[in-house]
Amino acid sequence: MMKYPVFWCLIWISGFSEVLSVPYSISSFAQLVDHYGLVFNKTSQSDAFFNQRHIVIDTWCPLTLPNSAEKEGGEKNGKGGVELDPRNHTIFVYAGGKGNLEDNFDKSGFVLELAKHYGALAIFIEHRFYGESQPFNGSRLTPKHRQFLTVDQAAADYMRIIYYYKIVAQMSDAKVITFGSFYGGSLAAYLRFKYPNEISGSLASGATVRMADEFQARTQFWKRVTQSYQQIPGIGPKVVQKIRSAFDGLNELTYFGSLGYEVISNQFNLCDRLNKKNYKTFLFTVRNVFAKLAINNNPYAVGMYPANPVQFASSIMYYTDRDIQALVDLTFWFYQQSKLTCFDPSKYFRLCPDPSGCEMNENGNVWAFQTCWELQQVIGSSIGNSMFPNLEWTTKELFSFCKKEFEEFSGQERYQWFKINYWGSKISSASNIIWTNGQLDPWFGTGIITTNSTPYLNTLSAIPGASQGLDLRGPVNGDGMAKYRQMELELIGQILTGTFPSS
């Protein structure tokens, strides 16, 4: 039997899923750094492999994991791998996108509900270079290392882990369903595109696949952010007008030169004085508040975000008399500032190709590179189709940013190859993919909204009242997703039984 360099490190964490309260362990898989090169050409073994973290939930499909005394590759009693109840032949895989493993696990409780219903093994995988799944021992992300940060390599990572459980764990005939949200949703679909012989189907929630080849889709983000505020009952239109007027007021103050910048600096209690050079970045920082609230517009509190945060924020601004002061109040609330301390935008926002900014940590560096190299996002706001000022982000500005941040850029980025390799919006030959998109998600316009399939599937692809990835979160009474989750459950059953209405 072919062996793979796999090892396990079981770490019990005081963490639980959103609904089922299933305790979990974190495992490490000895993953290849380069799936398309020759391992024996690497300068050292440490360069050839890295530890990729994943969570295995076998509550409904029991596994007996190999212990430290067993042979490398997981052999046990000569049977090759872990023991498995032969009646269970279903694997659900959550394709982690940007972010840490634990964060992705916490926001995908419905996958566990589905695993329980179908008696499936559930696996949640951390994306290479994010969290603690760091090639090259987590050393600096240099050009030498960044060449391995591609969607192709990430997809191969997931397939290799899936292959381990299908073959080494004696599940060669298992049907595999992949799941994911936002970028992870695209990865879930890409796995079905690229490995249809191994992946039976996918549930791609909020997958932004049309970004690859449709410029119009890339321009919808700020328009849809504006719509999320416009639609607040009773106060929405007035709030949108107040926001537009506030940004207009800030721009008018800049006409007075240093005096105007000083007024703005005082109003926002800035640590460093504004000037013509840093004013645009300041506007990006304030605009970012509205994007983050719209992306996280869940019907219940999650982390720092209250329930229905767009409505909450709208109320703050609606009941403030002066337009600019409304913007100040919202900015200070979101960034959790106090008037007793000065506000330093550079500590809370970093410019990157993603219109909502990148995290202020290494995950942010990784995402900035991905959006430069493959996942093109040419998205600027315009007063003509949104409530935001004219803040351009053209292809020229994108390339200028990327060349400044990543020295290997030379105008030969992978955008064109990426849309060929992963299809973009040309999915007519795809099958067994459930496309879901929340209508409150600012990225709604970049997903597959309609298909040439049944009306049943068309209805599911655009979910009213849903924010980004809400359908994959653990079920909560009153979240409005019960009907759609039931449809998803039934469609997955159809994929497993071969009766799915394929595109």
Side-chain angles (χ1 to χ4, degrees):
M1 176 180 290
M2 183 178 271
K3 294 183 180 180
Y4 291 85
V6 178
F7 65 92
W8 300 85
C9 178
L10 300 184
I11 309 170
W12 286 95
I13 310 292
S14 58
F16 296 87
S17 69
E18 288 178 312
V19 175
L20 292 180
S21 296
V22 178
Y24 61 84
S25 63
I26 295 178
S27 304
S28 288
F29 183 87
Q31 188 62 268
L32 284 168
V33 170
D34 183 7
H35 296 279
Y36 302 98
L38 298 176
V39 173
F40 55 75
N41 281 340
K42 304 299 178 184
T43 56
S44 68
Q45 190 74 358
S46 62
D47 283 344
F49 296 94
F50 71 97
N51 298 332
Q52 186 162 28
R53 298 197 308 161
H54 62 290
I55 291 171
V56 180
I57 302 295
D58 66 343
T59 305
W60 308 285
C61 181
L63 293 172
T64 302
L65 299 178
N67 59 43
S68 58
E70 291 160 4
K71 297 178 181 179
E72 183 184 68
E75 283 194 357
K76 183 172 182 176
N77 299 326
K79 297 181 181 179
V82 282
E83 295 180 349
L84 177 74
D85 185 336
R87 294 171 297 175
N88 296 297
H89 293 279
T90 306
I91 303 174
F92 290 165
V93 177
Y94 188 91
K98 62 175 187 173
N100 298 338
L101 174 65
E102 296 89 341
D103 293 339
N104 284 315
F105 180 73
D106 288 343
K107 64 183 182 183
S108 53
F110 184 54
V111 177
L112 295 180
E113 296 279 349
L114 292 168
K116 178 181 179 181
H117 181 87
Y118 287 108
L121 180 70
I123 306 172
F124 302 77
I125 308 175
E126 187 170 64
H127 195 293
R128 59 170 52 205
F129 288 100
Y130 286 96
E132 296 178 29
S133 295
Q134 297 293 330
F136 308 105
N137 297 315
S139 57
R140 184 172 172 268
L141 196 62
T142 64
K144 173 187 174 183
H145 299 161
R146 287 194 290 261
Q147 64 180 306
F148 302 107
L149 178 52
T150 66
V151 174
D152 270 347
Q153 296 282 5
D157 288 344
Y158 298 156
M159 194 61 247
R160 194 163 177 269
I161 291 177
I162 292 168
Y163 187 79
Y164 170 79
Y165 282 97
K166 290 188 73 173
I167 302 303
V168 182
Q170 301 178 352
M171 297 181 73
S172 60
D173 62 343
K175 293 189 175 181
V176 180
I177 308 294
T178 54
F179 301 82
S181 175
F182 185 52
Y183 167 52
S186 296
L187 287 172
Y190 296 158
L191 285 165
R192 171 62 182 172
F193 289 174
K194 193 163 186 177
Y195 306 104
N197 56 319
E198 298 287 348
I199 306 300
S200 301
S202 301
L203 197 168
S205 178
T208 58
V209 294
R210 290 172 57 206
M211 289 279 285
D213 62 351
E214 291 189 22
F215 177 79
Q216 187 61 30
R218 300 182 197 133
T219 65
Q220 296 299 303
F221 183 85
W222 293 111
K223 180 178 180 180
R224 297 204 67 86
V225 171
T226 300
Q227 289 175 352
S228 66
Y229 290 83
Q230 181 83 25
Q231 295 169 3
I232 298 298
I235 65 174
K238 293 182 180 179
V239 168
V240 167
Q241 183 55 47
K242 179 169 284 192
I243 296 168
R244 183 179 284 116
S245 297
F247 279 113
D248 284 345
L250 293 178
N251 286 335
E252 288 176 5
L253 282 169
T254 64
Y255 296 152
F256 294 95
S258 59
L259 179 60
Y261 288 123
E262 185 68 16
V263 170
I264 299 172
S265 299
N266 290 334
Q267 286 180 308
F268 283 85
N269 198 26
L270 299 178
C271 301
D272 296 322
R273 303 293 89 179
L274 283 179
N275 52 53
K276 187 176 182 179
K277 185 176 180 179
N278 62 16
Y279 176 65
K280 186 175 181 179
T281 301
F282 164 75
L283 289 180
F284 279 129
T285 307
V286 177
R287 189 188 63 173
N288 182 57
V289 174
F290 298 93
K292 293 294 189 185
L293 292 171
I295 289 172
N296 294 279
N297 195 23
N298 298 302
Y300 47 82
V302 177
M304 65 165 284
Y305 298 95
N308 303 302
V310 168
Q311 184 166 351
F312 181 86
S314 295
S315 297
I316 291 177
M317 292 180 291
Y318 181 76
Y319 292 105
T320 302
D321 292 335
R322 292 172 295 163
D323 296 341
I324 293 180
Q325 188 59 46
L327 211 55
V328 172
D329 291 347
L330 181 65
T331 302
F332 270 73
W333 167 77
F334 181 81
Y335 291 116
Q336 301 180 4
Q337 293 298 304
S338 166
K339 289 185 180 296
L340 298 177
T341 61
C342 62
F343 176 39
D344 182 359
S346 66
K347 292 183 178 180
Y348 301 93
F349 176 81
R350 60 179 295 181
L351 186 64
C352 83
D354 187 325
S356 64
C358 291
E359 293 181 60
M360 305 293 291
N361 53 28
E362 189 57 29
N363 281 350
N365 294 334
V366 176
W367 184 239
F369 177 79
Q370 286 197 275
T371 51
C372 276
W373 189 237
E374 292 183 310
L375 310 176
Q376 187 177 25
Q377 298 188 13
V378 183
I379 305 169
S381 63
S382 167
I383 195 66
N385 67 358
S386 75
M387 61 186 178
F388 302 105
N390 296 327
L391 290 172
E392 291 186 347
W393 190 255
T394 63
T395 301
K396 180 180 179 181
E397 289 174 305
L398 171 67
F399 285 2
S400 175
F401 169 87
C402 294
K403 288 179 181 180
K404 179 180 177 181
E405 293 291 316
F406 309 110
E407 57 268 32
E408 66 268 35
F409 275 78
S410 60
Q412 302 297 318
E413 288 66 56
R414 289 169 54 93
Y415 302 141
Q416 298 302 318
W417 170 245
F418 181 77
K419 73 179 183 181
I420 295 171
N421 198 27
Y422 287 107
W423 305 14
S425 58
K426 298 174 182 177
I427 62 159
S428 59
S429 59
S431 63
N432 290 2
I433 298 178
I434 306 167
W435 303 99
T436 71
N437 292 272
Q439 291 187 3
L440 295 183
D441 184 356
W443 296 105
F444 178 81
T446 66
I448 302 299
I449 310 302
T450 59
T451 67
N452 297 322
S453 186
T454 64
Y456 186 47
L457 189 55
N458 283 341
T459 301
L460 185 58
S461 65
I463 305 178
S467 53
Q468 187 180 97
L470 181 60
D471 57 321
L472 289 187
R473 287 188 174 273
V476 173
N477 289 336
D479 66 4
M481 293 297 104
K483 167 186 173 182
Y484 300 101
R485 292 194 181 104
Q486 180 62 31
M487 294 168 70
E488 292 174 0
L489 182 147
E490 293 174 7
L491 286 169
I492 287 171
Q494 292 175 19
I495 292 175
L496 295 175
T497 57
T499 59
F500 183 82
S502 294
S503 304

